[in-house]
Amino acid sequence: MGERLALEHYERLGYQLVERNHRTTSGEIDLIVHGHDAIVFSEVKTRRAGGLDPLHNLTAAKRRRMRALAARWLAERAQRPRASLLRIDAVAIVVDDRDQLVSLEQFEDVA
């Protein structure tokens, strides 16, 4: 659900989905989107209202892993969209008990 909400947010901003849930043995990239001459690798964190901050688990180690996963994806994708900017974002989503969106915050260039 959180990834769907994050993707809808990026699409409203004019980005297009390139890949979702790209998995490797080293980890996963939640969303890869392209637009505005950028490829964006996005980590999506979703929590229930009243819980911990969704970005609480975005540690230095997680940010390093995100950079490594993005570099590997770029090296493996010769047919990817071209862009002059590469960015790693985090999207923090909070939903209520009925899975309704309470808040969505996008943080650019977190890694």
Side-chain angles (χ1 to χ4, degrees):
M1 171 188 42
E3 291 171 10
R4 177 183 53 80
L5 292 168
L7 177 57
E8 290 170 358
H9 167 74
Y10 279 112
E11 288 173 338
R12 281 190 299 274
L13 295 175
Y15 291 86
Q16 295 178 341
L17 179 65
V18 175
E19 193 167 341
R20 184 176 184 170
N21 300 117
H22 173 72
R23 289 183 177 90
T24 72
T25 56
S26 303
E28 177 184 13
I29 302 172
D30 294 328
L31 294 174
I32 304 168
V33 296
H34 175 258
H36 308 284
D37 202 28
I39 295 176
V40 179
F41 303 89
S42 185
E43 176 70 10
V44 180
K45 295 294 186 185
T46 307
R47 297 287 187 266
R48 295 259 175 229
L52 293 175
D53 181 336
L55 296 182
H56 180 72
N57 292 328
L58 193 60
T59 63
K62 177 65 176 177
R63 291 191 305 272
R64 281 193 302 276
R65 187 171 35 251
M66 290 170 64
R67 285 191 300 271
L69 289 168
R72 183 174 172 181
W73 185 89
L74 289 165
E76 293 173 351
R77 296 293 190 288
Q79 299 302 316
R80 67 182 183 269
R82 296 295 173 215
S84 61
L85 177 66
L86 303 173
R87 197 173 76 217
I88 297 176
D89 287 3
V91 178
I93 296 174
V94 177
V95 296
D96 65 17
D97 291 337
R98 297 170 307 180
D99 291 336
Q100 297 298 308
L101 181 64
V102 173
S103 68
L104 184 151
E105 291 182 89
Q106 174 193 348
F107 300 90
E108 295 184 359
D109 242 351
V110 298

